[in-house]
Amino acid sequence: MTERLLNNIEYNYKTICENIAKAAQRSGRKYEDITFLAATKTVEAEYINYAISLGLNHIGENRVQELLSKYESYDLENTKLHMIGHLQTNKVRQIVDKVDMIESVDSLKLAKEISLQSEKRNISTDVLIEVNIGGEESKSGISPDELDELICQISELPAIKVQGLMTIPPICENKQKIFGYFENMRKLFIDISSKKIDNISMNVLSMGMSDDYVEAIESGATLVRIGSALFGARNYNI
Ligand SMILES: *Cc1c(COP(=O)(O)O)cnc(C)c1O
């Protein structure tokens, strides 16, 4: 571990917390109302644990393999671990008892497997439904048109609990356009919430990353997923 990197992480962590607090205030909320989750793909456990020592209490991994290889090294005593990347059905059993939340559920098949594997272990797994708000072909996530039906189907499953929605909007330079996507997510979130479906809660709206977490919070995000703004640029993109 180099001293310089640790200093950068500390500086970045404090700056992000301040920005979150200000954005929360602008949207009529408090810092404590927003969950700051660090996206930790490609980051070594030592650096993740350093961020945890500063007060970070949510981390998220993208890949099952990477999560498993780092799992024993994370300092998880006061920290929650989320799966935030695309999850293949055949890998659910490897992580279902290790994560606090799976943010990337986008099909009934995946939800059924999460429920089945959770039932076997006598647990219930909290999940978010990933929405493909930009309608991009290359992205995972359920289309907004199919969201209601999927949520109703999942509500029938015994050992999975929908806690909200997650999205990764298209990359765009134009901040106004990003606001539009976030606003559409907020509408979906409020819409589903008002339907009061049994076994479905809308507590978490996960949107916003390093470049747009301020805009996301202003649009109602309750959880932001931040990687490069905290740990520095990654060597490769996932
Ligand atoms: C990598 C990643 C992030 C964070 O991205 P940054 O731009 O580095 O902040 C957030 N969410 C998901 C699902 C990711 O894979």
Side-chain angles (χ1 to χ4, degrees):
M1 286 201 282
T2 75
E3 192 70 23
R4 189 179 57 81
L5 264 170
L6 296 183
N7 285 340
N8 285 349
I9 292 171
E10 183 173 5
Y11 175 82
N12 294 342
Y13 180 75
K14 287 181 177 160
T15 307
I16 294 166
C17 289
E18 284 168 19
N19 292 341
I20 290 175
K22 285 185 223 155
Q25 211 166 31
R26 282 196 292 277
S27 68
R29 293 175 293 166
K30 296 192 290 287
Y31 175 77
E32 298 78 46
D33 298 328
I34 312 296
T35 302
F36 171 7
L37 176 143
T40 50
K41 57 177 176 267
T42 78
V43 180
E44 286 168 38
E46 288 93 324
Y47 295 114
I48 300 170
N49 289 339
Y50 181 68
I52 288 171
S53 78
L54 300 172
L56 179 77
N57 53 20
H58 283 75
I59 62 174
E61 286 288 351
N62 278 73
R63 290 181 166 179
V64 168
Q65 221 43 50
E66 187 175 346
L67 185 152
L68 293 175
S69 74
K70 283 147 90 175
Y71 185 72
E72 295 299 329
S73 325
Y74 301 129
D75 184 2
L76 289 180
E77 204 176 327
N78 298 305
T79 303
K80 301 223 181 289
L81 172 62
H82 290 193
M83 177 66 194
I84 61 174
H86 179 67
L87 179 59
Q88 284 172 282
T89 306
N90 63 1
K91 295 196 173 156
V92 168
R93 64 187 157 76
Q94 296 180 269
I95 61 157
V96 80
D97 57 350
K98 298 190 170 59
V99 297
D100 297 287
M101 184 179 274
I102 298 172
E103 296 200 16
S104 44
V105 174
D106 63 356
S107 72
L108 184 59
K109 183 170 168 243
L110 178 58
K112 277 183 172 164
E113 178 68 6
I114 292 169
S115 184
L116 180 73
Q117 295 297 336
S118 301
E119 217 177 352
K120 280 189 187 169
R121 292 163 182 77
N122 256 319
I123 58 172
S124 172
T125 299
D126 284 339
V127 304
L128 304 181
I129 307 300
E130 182 174 352
V131 180
N132 184 354
I133 198 67
E136 294 170 287
E137 243 169 64
S138 59
K139 282 229 173 97
S140 40
I142 183 97
S143 100
D145 302 341
E146 296 167 292
L147 180 60
D148 268 13
E149 192 186 349
L150 178 63
I151 284 188
C152 285
Q153 289 166 328
I154 295 179
S155 73
E156 310 275 323
L157 301 174
I160 180 170
K161 174 92 175 113
V162 174
Q163 295 287 359
L165 306 178
M166 180 271 226
T167 197
I168 308 172
I171 296 166
C172 41
E173 306 284 298
N174 181 334
K175 291 279 181 193
Q176 243 8 74
K177 223 171 156 186
I178 282 276
F179 264 122
Y181 291 123
F182 289 153
E183 188 56 29
N184 289 343
M185 282 300 296
R186 197 175 68 94
K187 283 185 194 144
L188 287 174
F189 187 74
I190 291 172
D191 216 47
I192 295 165
S193 196
S194 69
K195 287 183 182 153
K196 303 205 185 312
I197 305 163
D198 267 358
N199 193 34
I200 301 291
S201 298
M202 285 290 127
N203 296 319
V204 182
L205 180 54
S206 172
M207 58 185 191
M209 317 202 294
S210 289
D211 291 335
D212 54 20
Y213 67 92
V214 167
E215 288 81 2
I217 293 168
E218 288 172 355
S219 306
T222 70
L223 185 156
V224 290
R225 308 175 310 268
I226 299 176
S228 49
L230 177 61
F231 296 112
R234 287 181 292 277
N235 301 332
Y236 62 91
N237 283 315
I238 292 181

